[in-house]
Amino acid sequence: MEFWPKKKNKNHPDFWKEYLSLFEKRGDKLAFENIRFVAFDTETTGFDYIDDRVLSIGGVAVKNNSILVFDQLEVYLEQEVFNEDTVEIHGIRKNNGFDKITEKKALELFIQYIGNAILIAHHAEFDRRMINKALQRHGLGVLKNKFLDTGVLFKETKHLVYRNDILNSHYSLDDLCIDLKISKSDRHTASGDAFITAMAFLKIVSRLKKKGVNIKKALL
């Protein structure tokens, strides 16, 4: 019996092929200051990875200890699913004036935007799963990027004396805003939360540096 090598799916769109090609040669040669990070957030109809849908995606790039406000993304998606209970949180309705695009187009723009950047999110596993489920609905794979979770990183800034109590704590983005003194003026919009997450990341990195932590080694 002969076994033929598994062929790559030639039917994948060009943007996905180009995205995958970015990870064929991976290395950690870049200095920390030259690494492109992307802080991002999703607003969704709920917390179910299968039945709920992404309503909006916001992202902003971070590089060399700065937030690159000229390098950001904000997209709103056409709604297949509507959940009245979550509208009061994100304020997104089926028809409320936002220019909306299809889920497929939003994913294309998001993938082209992030490239092989290191992704930052608060409680990152939720956003990762929501995006991955959306990608899989369109016959694509899953995100290949490395993820950093500001909720996890924040705990590393705390003194060892409090570490045992902190490990099981669940810090919301609001908690980080209070502790790190970040304005909450744009909370619960994808782009606003992405910017807040980027701010939190930089403040966390600053605290870790003051503790003498090797940032690149600790994060990557």
Side-chain angles (χ1 to χ4, degrees):
M1 181 181 294
E2 292 182 302
F3 293 90
W4 297 96
K6 187 176 180 180
K7 295 181 179 179
K8 294 183 179 179
N9 189 337
K10 294 182 179 180
N11 294 322
H12 280 158
D14 289 341
F15 79 86
W16 187 253
K17 294 177 183 177
E18 291 170 5
Y19 170 70
L20 294 180
S21 71
L22 298 174
F23 297 89
E24 291 176 356
K25 295 181 180 180
R26 304 184 70 168
D28 297 321
K29 296 181 180 180
L30 286 177
F32 180 80
E33 290 76 15
N34 294 326
I35 296 173
R36 181 174 180 260
F37 298 86
V38 169
F40 86 104
D41 180 72
T42 61
E43 293 298 327
T44 66
T45 58
F47 300 104
D48 189 293
Y49 301 122
I50 305 298
D51 295 329
D52 282 305
R53 295 291 185 269
V54 176
L55 296 173
S56 64
I57 307 172
V60 63
V62 177
K63 191 174 182 180
N64 194 21
N65 297 311
S66 298
I67 297 174
L68 308 182
V69 293
F70 58 84
D71 185 1
Q72 58 182 300
L73 173 78
E74 182 178 48
V75 292
Y76 290 89
L77 284 67
E78 295 174 354
Q79 290 184 240
E80 300 175 5
V81 177
F82 179 73
N83 182 353
E84 182 69 36
D85 294 336
T86 60
V87 171
E88 63 183 58
I89 298 174
H90 50 65
I92 303 173
R93 294 183 176 274
K94 280 190 173 183
N95 299 298
N96 60 349
F98 294 116
D99 291 330
K100 298 180 180 179
I101 57 179
T102 64
E103 181 179 76
K104 184 176 181 179
K105 184 61 178 177
L107 291 171
E108 178 180 352
L109 294 176
F110 178 67
I111 292 298
Q112 290 174 332
Y113 171 67
I114 62 173
N116 61 355
I118 296 174
L119 301 181
I120 309 165
H122 191 71
H123 300 152
E125 188 59 24
F126 173 75
D127 297 287
R128 187 208 312 245
R129 287 194 181 187
M130 290 300 292
I131 295 293
N132 282 344
K133 286 297 181 183
L135 288 168
Q136 290 168 346
R137 280 194 291 274
H138 297 278
L140 303 173
V142 297
L143 291 172
K144 307 298 181 185
N145 307 67
K146 180 177 177 62
F147 270 76
L148 296 175
D149 189 324
T150 47
V152 174
L153 294 176
F154 178 70
K155 295 179 182 180
E156 296 299 319
T157 67
K158 298 301 181 180
H159 196 281
L160 286 173
V161 172
Y162 308 105
R163 190 63 58 82
N164 289 335
D165 294 331
I166 289 168
L167 286 177
N168 294 320
S169 298
H170 181 85
Y171 289 100
S172 69
L173 195 54
D174 287 328
D175 292 330
L176 267 64
C177 286
I178 294 170
D179 190 277
L180 299 171
K181 296 180 174 56
I182 299 172
S183 171
K184 297 189 289 184
S185 60
D186 288 325
R187 275 289 277 130
H188 297 303
T189 66
S191 58
D193 284 355
F195 188 82
I196 289 171
T197 300
M199 287 286 294
F201 173 70
L202 290 180
K203 287 177 176 284
I204 289 168
V205 167
S206 177
R207 284 189 178 184
L208 292 176
K209 283 183 177 179
K210 289 178 181 178
K211 292 177 67 176
V213 174
N214 182 318
I215 298 301
K216 185 174 180 181
K217 184 177 180 180
L219 300 184
L220 310 180

